[in-house]
Amino acid sequence: MAEPASISQGIAARYATALFDLAKEGGALAAIEADAAQLKEALAGSPELNALIASPVVVRADQARALAAVGKAMGLNALTVNTLALMADKRRLFVLPQFLAVLGDLIAEEKGEVTAEVTAATKLTAAQAKKLAETLKARVGKTVKLNTTVDESLIGGLIVKLGSVMIDTSVRSKLASLQNVMKEVG
């Protein structure tokens, strides 16, 4: 039996692929990319929207009306609005966060981009972020978008995850490594 997370991922991937293909055929990839960014931001900033898409109590028609209003207010592309309406009709809005992630991955792949997850001890300056992106681009041969977060427990340095590769230059990991070496010695 499949895990619920993998089922949700499969549902999200089907809807995202369909929207991506339609947008690519219609020359609307840039609009769809902007829509996805707006929707991610809306989900991140609105517990009410998250409750609306996740609640099994809210009827389909109410979900569809609410998302149509959100789409209109945000100025979303008709393809995006129609996809959201279909997802509401089929009771699939609960996969919206995964849908947006898959859609973002498909668009990035089409554009020849990859995303690096960067965790830093302090907020990166624009110059540091640019230099890091250029260094990673030279390594992978593709344009690299940085998704940065701050974790002060690193003390200093960075942790960069790019695909299946992880580069950990944090002071925290170096101290942990030194501690393990010292345990082996004495």
Side-chain angles (χ1 to χ4, degrees):
M1 182 169 202
E3 294 294 320
S6 65
I7 293 170
S8 295
Q9 190 66 28
I11 293 167
R14 286 192 297 275
Y15 281 97
T17 302
L19 177 58
F20 174 79
D21 289 343
L22 288 170
K24 188 175 175 182
E25 285 175 18
L29 277 180
I32 299 301
E33 182 178 24
D35 290 353
Q38 280 186 291
L39 285 167
K40 279 183 187 177
E41 193 175 301
L43 283 172
S46 175
E48 295 84 8
L49 183 58
N50 281 297
L52 173 77
I53 66 170
S55 176
V57 178
V58 180
V59 297
R60 297 172 196 217
D62 290 345
Q63 283 183 327
R65 276 193 299 276
L67 280 173
V70 167
K72 185 177 180 182
M74 296 173 101
L76 299 180
N77 183 291
L79 286 172
T80 304
V81 172
N82 291 341
T83 302
L84 293 175
L86 178 64
M87 290 172 74
D89 184 55
K90 300 295 183 184
R91 300 293 287 177
R92 298 293 189 241
L93 283 176
F94 67 94
V95 300
L96 189 57
Q98 296 98 322
F99 164 80
L100 294 172
V102 171
L103 184 61
D105 291 346
L106 290 169
I107 292 170
E109 186 178 327
E110 178 71 18
K111 292 169 62 177
E113 295 177 345
V114 292
T115 300
E117 300 292 328
V118 179
T119 306
T122 59
K123 185 169 177 10
L124 296 178
T125 65
Q128 289 171 326
K130 182 180 178 191
K131 178 73 173 163
L132 178 59
E134 289 171 356
T135 302
L136 292 172
K137 180 179 180 178
R139 182 172 178 162
V140 297
K142 294 182 177 181
T143 302
V144 177
K145 292 174 85 175
L146 301 179
N147 185 8
T148 59
T149 56
V150 175
D151 180 1
E152 294 176 358
S153 72
L154 296 180
I155 304 169
L158 301 168
I159 299 174
V160 179
K161 294 177 188 169
L162 184 61
S164 62
V165 177
M166 183 170 111
I167 304 164
D168 188 347
T169 63
S170 67
V171 173
R172 179 180 68 187
S173 78
K174 291 182 182 191
L175 288 174
S177 174
L178 182 60
Q179 185 178 26
N180 285 338
V181 169
M182 291 177 72
K183 283 180 183 175
E184 291 174 9
V185 172

